[in-house]
């Protein structure tokens, strides 16, 4: 590096030292999962480096850790020509096809010793990371295999990608090949947010990972918890690698994350044992995989086998059986949601898809039904992608008999009979009647739900009875309910009536974020509610905030802002909030206490909690002074295990970290399980 005349040599040295240290901590935290300093100490190092770079701009370099999120949004992506093409893989769907591949290999190589490496095929987006003399200089998508898009600033936001080679001397040049992915959990969270904003959902982790990489604003990429596994190299200069296994070890030493489940196999029989093992186990991983990649281990043999224009002959992908099934659409029904949106849903003859019985699949909206041309009576292929609700993939038109019936979106709301509306620019058909029982009920259910006011024991049935008896019309009415009124309800004994009243009473002590979420403002999901609450801290401040003030909050934007402001302009909505406050609903101020009973403990959650939502649990832990992390590290003190836990439970068990069942966790945070 040249020394700019303005920076004294001790500053240049300090900057270099900070970069090295910070990258070392990134490696320990993100690659080997064994951090040695606290987040606060890390932040101090990063801040010192930022300050020095701000004072001496001549010292800034693109491979500084400060640049991981520092790049401005670009207008478009430049094209990158891969030095070595990024090929795809031939597929095998059965043992016979695997045997056929093996025979072709043996035919070319002759009767020589042959070893393999089996790896999981990660379902994400392929990238190529170019390192020149040890510096990460370019990262690109696969594109058409010959040329991809330059997404370097976006890839820099992934902290497990080393900006510098960890081993000296580094190779003159190498293209590291890797798969970028999102965990199922991250995908579910992103989709939940998108659903709240009524944006189209990502159908699978691959689309989500690719979409996140192809963001023009690296800040958006940085907000998505992307990670990657490296699985090979393209062009390499200045190293001699003899086997694939050696290549992976070399990449690991250089600071990359490789998948821990690969296996060296000395024979085809060992390969054949690996496949069923992972066909059974891959559902337990926290990320999606769609098969096993089998690679000939020796690089010399790989060279001898060569490649077709599409794929190498030395590797093959054995695909896991698709998580799809065929069934019949016995009806298409229309649901009216809390926002009045009419959603067509295919009612299906029950069918098992990856171990779960599916009886319905969303058709999203009218245009989707037309595009896929789904008719009542059709045979269809359905699939479950990750945590996403089942989806109709396509219609088996060849099975049509002519008796199928076309679906028509009703002209009036199926619940209240009001003529429905569909604005030109929107795909959603809506019931415009805010007094529609479907909307009222939807709103009440939402208000009482766990992530909102969390009124235990107030389910659908009780709410229907309360509405039918005209005891309540809106959420504020709940707080005026009296014991004798409840006792008049069907199936309501004194004890359960009292329990319900107690639960309603308890819900008054809440947080601003929960209250905002509970109001059911369009586009305000749990996360947006948290952001608004953290910013405004007071319900009146939110209610009176001008459009610009809401729009300019990071993470909000004009669509949400418009929705929030319009909501609070409505006199009936203001009156509702007023009545809630008068009834004693008391959102506590937002600040987390500096210390609390959970101070010093770090929690990691895995699996689905039954009695509270993830954001709720996180909020409670933080309110009690504890910290929450997304992965198990040396700093983790407690792992909370919900239904269908992922690999984190296993990691915790191995490391001897305390495991808490949901009930134990609830007791700990002072809730009654
Ligand atoms: S090796 C020249 N190994 O699958 C051989 N690919 O269908 C290149 N993938 O574009 C592929 N996990 O994005 C290989 N362990 C793994 C993989 C893997 C996922 C993806 C990769 C590639 C696609 C080929």
């Amino acid at each position: 590096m040249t020394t700019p005349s303005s920076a004294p040599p001790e500053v240049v040295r300090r900057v270099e030292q900070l970069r090295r240290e910070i990258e070392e901590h990134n490696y320990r935290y993100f690659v080997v999962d064994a951090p040695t300093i606290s987040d606060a100490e890390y932040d101090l190092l990063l801040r010192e480096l930022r300050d020095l770079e701000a004072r001496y701009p001549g010292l800034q370099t693109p491979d500084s850790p400060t640049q991981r999120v520092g790049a401005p949004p670009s207008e478009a992506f430049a094209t990158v020509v891969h030095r070595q093409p990024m090929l795809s893989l031939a597929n095998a769907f059965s043992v016979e096809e695997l045997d056929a591949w093996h025979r072709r290999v043996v035919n070319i190589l002759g009767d020589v010793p042959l070893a393999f490496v089996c790896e999981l095929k990660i379902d994400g987006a392929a990238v190529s990371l170019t390192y020149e003399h040890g510096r990460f200089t370019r990262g690109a998508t696969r594109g058409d295999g010959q040329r991809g898009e330059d997404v370097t600033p976006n890839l820099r936001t992934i902290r497990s990608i080393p900006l510098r080679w960890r081993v000296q001397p580094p190779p003159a040049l190498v293209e590291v090949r890797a798969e970028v992915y999102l965990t199922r959990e991250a995908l579910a969270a992103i989709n939940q947010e998108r659903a709240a904003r009524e944006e189209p959902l990502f159908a699978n982790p691959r689309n989500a990972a690719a979409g996140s990489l192809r963001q023009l604003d690296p800040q958006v990429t940085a907000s998505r918890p992307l990670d990657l596994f490296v699985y090979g190299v393209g062009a390499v200069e200045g190293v001699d690698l003899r086997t694939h296994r050696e290549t992976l070890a070399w990449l690991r030493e250089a600071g990359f994350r490789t998948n821990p489940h690969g296996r060296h196999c000395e024979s085809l029989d060992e390969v054949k044992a690996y496949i069923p093992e992972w066909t059974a186990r891959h559902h337990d991983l926290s990320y999606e995989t769609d098969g096993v990649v089998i690679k000939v281990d020796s690089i010399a043999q790989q060279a001898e086998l060569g490649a077709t224009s599409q794929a190498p002959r030395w590797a093959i992908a054995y695909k896991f059986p698709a998580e799809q099934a065929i069934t019949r659409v016995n009806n298409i029904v229309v649901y009216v949601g809390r926002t009045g949106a009419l959603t067509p849903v295919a009612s299906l003859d029950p069918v098992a898809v990856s171990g779960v019985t599916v009886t319905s699949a969303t058709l999203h909206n009218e245009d989707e039904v037309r595009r896929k041309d789904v008719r009542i009576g059709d045979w269809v292929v359905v699939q479950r992608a990750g945590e996403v609700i089942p989806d109709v993939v396509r219609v088996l038109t060849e099975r049509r008999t002519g008796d199928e019936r076309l679906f028509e979106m009703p002209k009036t709301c199926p619940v209240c009979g009001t003529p429905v509306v569909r604005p030109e620019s929107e795909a959603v058909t809506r019931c415009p009647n805010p007094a529609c029982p479907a909307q009222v009920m939807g709103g009440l259910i939402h208000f009482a739900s766990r992530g909102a006011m969390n009124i235990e024991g107030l389910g659908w049935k009780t709410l229907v009875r309360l509405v039918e008896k005209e005891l309540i019309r809106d959420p504020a009415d709940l707080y005026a309910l009296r014991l004798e009124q409840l006792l008049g309800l069907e199936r309501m004994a004194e004890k359960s009536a009292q329990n319900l009243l107690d639960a309603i009473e308890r819900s008054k002590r809440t947080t601003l974020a929960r209250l905002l979420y509970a109001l059911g403002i369009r586009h305000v999901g749990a996360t947006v509610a948290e952001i608004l609450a953290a910013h405004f801290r007071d319900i009146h401040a939110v209610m009176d905030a001008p459009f610009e003030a809401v729009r300019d909050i990071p993470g909000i934007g004009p669509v949400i802002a418009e929705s929030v402001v319009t909501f609070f302009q409505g006199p009936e909505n203001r009156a509702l909030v007023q009545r809630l406050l008068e009834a004693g609903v008391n959102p506590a101020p937002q600040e987390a206490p500096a210390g609390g009973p959970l101070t010093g403990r770090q929690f990691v959650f895995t699996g689905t909690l039954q009695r509270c939502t993830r954001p709720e649990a996180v909020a409670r832990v933080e309110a009690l002074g504890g910290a929450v992390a997304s992965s198990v590290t040396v700093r983790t003190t407690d792992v909370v295990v919900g239904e269908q836990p992922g690999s984190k439970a296993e990691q915790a068990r191995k490391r001897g970290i305390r495991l808490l069942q949901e009930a134990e966790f609830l007791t700990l945070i002072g809730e009654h399980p």
Side-chain angles (χ1 to χ4, degrees):
M1 195 181 11
T2 52
T3 310
S5 51
S6 52
E10 64 274 16
V11 170
V12 177
R13 272 198 302 276
R14 178 65 185 153
V15 163
E16 190 48 32
Q17 185 194 11
L18 283 166
R19 288 179 184 161
R20 248 185 247 294
E21 270 187 46
I22 292 167
E23 279 302 282
E24 180 64 26
H25 293 305
N26 279 338
Y27 173 75
R28 290 190 191 165
Y29 191 93
F30 293 101
V31 180
V32 292
D33 230 5
T36 48
I37 59 169
S38 70
D39 290 356
E41 288 168 295
Y42 176 89
D43 290 342
L44 275 183
L45 293 175
L46 200 58
R47 186 165 332 145
E48 185 184 347
L49 179 58
R50 266 211 197 99
D51 289 349
L52 287 176
E53 288 181 352
R55 224 176 322 145
Y56 303 98
L59 291 181
Q60 275 173 17
T61 61
D63 67 352
S64 172
T66 56
Q67 295 308 299
R68 285 196 185 268
V69 271
S74 60
E75 299 271 295
F77 302 108
T79 301
V80 175
V81 178
H82 302 304
R83 286 174 213 243
Q84 193 161 303
M86 293 180 78
L87 299 179
S88 55
L89 289 167
N91 290 326
F93 293 96
S94 64
V95 177
E96 291 71 35
E97 290 178 5
L98 177 65
D99 283 332
W101 170 76
H102 182 251
R103 273 196 302 279
R104 285 195 297 277
V105 168
V106 174
N107 272 341
I108 297 172
L109 297 179
D111 187 16
V112 289
L114 194 54
F116 308 91
V117 172
C118 288
E119 289 168 4
L120 295 174
K121 187 165 185 295
I122 315 296
D123 196 3
V127 293
S128 182
L129 312 170
T130 303
Y131 287 78
E132 290 167 275
H133 301 288
R135 310 253 156 162
F136 174 47
T137 49
R138 177 146 293 116
T141 61
R142 176 170 182 270
D144 64 4
Q146 302 292 333
R147 43 195 89 221
E149 288 174 319
D150 185 340
V151 288
T152 316
N154 292 347
L155 284 167
R156 270 203 208 104
T157 67
I158 303 178
R159 310 227 171 201
S160 65
I161 296 181
L163 299 176
R164 299 182 191 183
W165 209 259
R166 288 178 61 82
V167 179
Q168 294 299 323
L173 175 100
V174 55
E175 289 177 322
V176 176
R177 299 286 159 82
E179 196 79 357
V180 171
Y181 68 91
L182 278 164
T183 61
R184 299 173 205 263
E185 201 181 305
L187 175 69
I190 291 173
N191 270 343
Q192 220 172 15
E193 278 290 299
R194 291 175 77 90
R197 288 192 223 129
E198 302 196 353
E199 290 171 3
L201 304 188
F202 286 122
N204 53 51
R206 187 184 323 123
N207 292 354
S212 305
L213 274 183
R214 297 184 70 263
Q215 287 289 338
L216 291 168
D217 183 354
Q219 298 274 3
V220 176
T221 310
S223 74
R224 306 261 168 94
L226 294 170
D227 209 338
L228 94 176
F229 287 121
V230 306
Y231 56 72
V233 292
V236 248
E237 282 169 23
V239 252
D240 202 12
L241 298 161
R242 280 163 308 175
T243 62
H244 180 63
R245 184 161 52 153
E246 204 176 290
T247 305
L248 292 178
W250 179 68
L251 289 170
R252 258 193 307 276
E253 268 170 44
F256 294 92
R257 244 179 122 224
T258 57
N259 187 277
H261 304 300
R263 187 179 299 163
H264 187 255
C265 294
E266 294 287 346
S267 69
L268 189 63
D269 283 341
E270 288 181 33
V271 170
K272 286 183 181 173
Y274 182 89
I275 293 171
E277 183 182 328
W278 281 97
T279 304
R281 279 181 70 187
H282 79 279
H283 298 290
D284 301 337
L285 296 169
S286 60
Y287 44 89
E288 296 253 2
T289 53
D290 56 352
V292 167
V293 187
I294 301 120
K295 299 175 179 174
V296 169
D297 192 27
S298 152
I299 308 270
Q301 288 177 340
Q302 288 183 4
E304 203 179 332
L305 288 160
T308 68
S309 63
Q310 304 294 318
R313 291 195 193 85
W314 47 265
I316 192 156
Y318 189 102
K319 296 301 259 312
F320 294 136
E323 305 191 7
Q324 294 186 339
I326 291 174
T327 187
R328 222 176 126 257
V329 176
N330 55 48
N331 201 2
I332 297 179
V333 294
V334 173
Y335 284 100
V336 185
R338 168 163 68 81
T339 61
L342 270 61
T343 306
V345 173
S347 161
L348 307 168
D349 291 347
V351 64
V353 187
S354 51
V356 173
T357 303
V358 169
T359 55
S360 63
T362 177
L363 294 168
H364 304 285
N365 55 52
E366 195 177 5
D367 293 351
E368 268 303 279
V369 182
R370 293 281 163 269
R371 195 176 64 75
K372 290 183 176 159
D373 189 20
V374 184
R375 304 179 189 178
I376 299 164
D378 266 337
W379 286 92
V380 292
V381 177
V382 291
Q383 76 176 6
R384 281 177 67 231
E387 310 289 296
V388 187
I389 20 176
D391 207 17
V392 171
V393 183
R394 65 191 169 88
V395 174
L396 301 173
T397 43
E398 64 277 15
R399 288 210 193 174
R400 281 198 177 145
T401 61
D403 291 339
E404 294 75 19
R405 282 182 295 129
L406 282 175
F407 165 76
E408 293 244 15
M409 196 56 135
K411 300 273 177 289
T412 56
C413 171
V415 178
C416 72
T418 307
V420 297
V421 291
R422 181 178 164 185
E424 283 284 330
S425 57
E426 283 187 32
V428 185
T429 309
R430 268 178 222 285
C431 165
N433 172 18
C436 170
Q439 291 190 46
V440 172
M441 277 306 299
L444 286 166
I445 291 276
H446 174 74
F447 184 85
S449 67
R450 285 182 202 134
M453 301 301 280
N454 191 23
I455 306 179
E456 260 175 84
L458 186 55
W460 175 266
K461 282 190 187 144
T462 310
L463 278 169
V464 169
R465 288 187 195 117
L466 288 169
V467 172
E468 275 173 356
K469 288 255 162 169
E470 295 183 3
L471 290 174
I472 59 170
R473 248 166 312 171
D474 67 26
D477 294 334
L478 288 167
Y479 295 96
L481 284 172
R482 283 170 288 114
L483 189 65
E484 7 5 313
Q485 294 176 316
L486 292 183
L487 288 175
L489 293 181
E490 214 181 305
R491 317 179 74 103
M492 184 67 84
E494 174 137 9
K495 184 151 191 297
S496 33
Q498 191 54 55
N499 285 346
L500 181 55
L501 286 182
D502 292 347
I504 293 173
E505 187 60 33
R506 272 200 305 279
S507 76
K508 290 180 179 173
R509 272 189 52 223
T510 186
T511 63
L512 179 55
R514 274 166 173 273
L515 177 60
L516 286 171
Y517 175 61
L519 291 173
I521 307 166
R522 259 177 88 191
H523 305 301
V524 180
T527 311
V528 170
E530 293 279 354
I531 297 174
L532 291 173
H535 184 87
F536 290 107
R537 285 154 187 269
D538 175 72
I539 185 75
H540 294 103
V542 189
M543 289 167 77
D544 298 333
F547 171 77
E548 293 73 21
V550 186
R551 180 198 58 197
D552 294 344
I553 304 170
I556 299 294
V559 177
I560 300 173
E562 174 73 37
S563 175
V564 171
V565 172
T566 311
F567 181 89
F568 286 117
Q569 273 165 359
E572 66 295 349
N573 294 329
R574 295 184 81 87
L576 173 67
V577 174
Q578 203 49 48
R579 283 169 53 224
L580 286 169
L581 297 178
E582 279 162 13
V585 171
N586 181 17
Q590 268 317 107
E591 292 95 331
L598 300 185
T599 302
R601 286 167 77 164
Q602 190 201 63
F603 290 75
V604 169
F605 293 92
T606 179
T608 318
L609 299 178
Q610 302 301 305
R611 300 293 299 272
C612 60
T613 64
R614 194 63 80 83
E616 263 185 287
V618 170
R620 278 296 279 164
V621 167
E622 287 174 351
L624 296 170
V628 177
S630 56
S631 57
V632 178
T633 69
V634 283
R635 270 179 288 158
T636 308
T637 56
D638 301 75
V639 172
V640 181
V641 185
E643 292 278 311
Q644 298 191 316
S647 59
K648 290 173 202 163
E650 186 53 30
Q651 286 169 28
R653 213 165 281 134
K654 278 197 199 130
R655 295 177 185 216
I657 295 168
R658 175 168 42 221
L659 283 168
L660 294 175
Q661 298 305 318
E662 182 168 351
E664 298 170 292
F665 171 69
L666 290 173
T667 311
L668 183 71
I669 62 173
E671 304 261 331
H672 305 289

